[in-house]
Amino acid sequence: SAQLRGPAGSPAEAVSRVVVGVLGVIAIRRDEDMIALPVLAHFGEQDAMIPLAARRGAALAWEYYFDFGGGRPPWTSGMSQATGIQALARATRRLGETVYLETARRALPLFEQAPPLGVRQSTSAGARYLIYSYAPGLHVVNAAVQTLVGLFDYAEFTGETTARELFRAGLQAWCYRRSLKLSGFATN
């Protein structure tokens, strides 16, 4: 079989930037096929995430560098972004390393930016956070819920006002869309 080679002679050719801490894999492009390899056990998930972040406007983001569902690279996902900041906040809390929280904080503005740069779709009721930055018309229930869970956990771990406001805007849009009243939901 053909040997994969990276720019510095490493065995990886064109490593796609994926949320390693969330997926637990590294995606490698070989010819036109994507190959998922488990992350090596001696790498901390959070340590692998930080150098993979790319700049998208005012935010750091974990981008995808392959075509998917009609989207062209680079693109990102509100679900993976929220789960990524959730993982980094937990790592900060558990390990006491502030670099993880600093990275997560720099990624939070993606939820304030409109697509295709960001994942925020403002509505009269709040905000929807997109599963794919290239598909503002696509709304996937489990992705919306996981995005809200990630934002909530990050806000709870950090106590940051911006994160709470982003979560609240998403929750309000979710409830409005489902014709639910916010009474009974903790929103402060």
Side-chain angles (χ1 to χ4, degrees):
S1 71
Q3 170 109 16
L4 298 177
R5 281 177 281 197
S10 68
E13 178 181 325
V15 175
S16 289
R17 295 177 185 194
V18 295
V19 182
V20 176
V22 174
L23 300 177
V25 300
I26 297 176
I28 299 175
R29 181 178 297 277
R30 180 177 178 184
D31 299 346
E32 292 304 311
D33 297 323
M34 293 300 294
I35 302 168
L37 301 175
V39 175
L40 297 175
H42 68 275
F43 287 118
E45 294 170 347
Q46 65 282 349
D47 291 331
M49 288 175 65
I50 293 172
L52 297 177
R55 169 93 28 218
R56 285 181 78 89
L60 286 183
W62 290 277
E63 295 180 326
Y64 296 85
Y65 293 98
F66 52 88
D67 295 344
F68 182 77
R72 309 282 300 160
W75 55 272
T76 193
S77 166
M79 182 175 69
S80 67
Q81 189 81 3
T83 307
I85 65 172
Q86 177 188 37
L88 289 169
R90 286 180 179 190
T92 299
R93 186 179 220 182
R94 185 166 187 184
L95 303 173
E97 296 289 337
T98 59
V99 67
Y100 306 136
L101 184 58
E102 291 163 10
T103 302
R105 188 174 291 127
R106 291 176 52 211
L108 203 58
L110 192 79
F111 294 97
E112 299 172 314
Q113 298 174 169
L117 193 60
V119 296
R120 183 187 185 104
Q121 189 175 51
S122 294
T123 71
S124 60
R128 288 186 193 130
Y129 302 115
L130 304 175
I131 185 171
Y132 306 121
S133 58
Y134 63 80
L138 180 63
H139 302 284
V140 178
V141 172
N142 69 318
V145 170
Q146 178 54 42
T147 300
L148 291 176
V149 167
L151 285 170
F152 177 83
D153 282 355
Y154 176 84
E156 285 295 301
F157 292 149
T158 66
E160 292 179 18
T161 303
T162 300
R164 288 188 191 282
E165 291 169 357
L166 292 169
F167 167 75
R168 187 176 299 121
L171 179 62
Q172 288 171 334
W174 173 263
C175 290
Y176 177 78
R177 190 163 185 215
R178 302 291 173 287
S179 299
L180 297 176
K181 294 180 181 172
L182 279 177
S183 59
F185 284 93
T187 61
N188 53 7

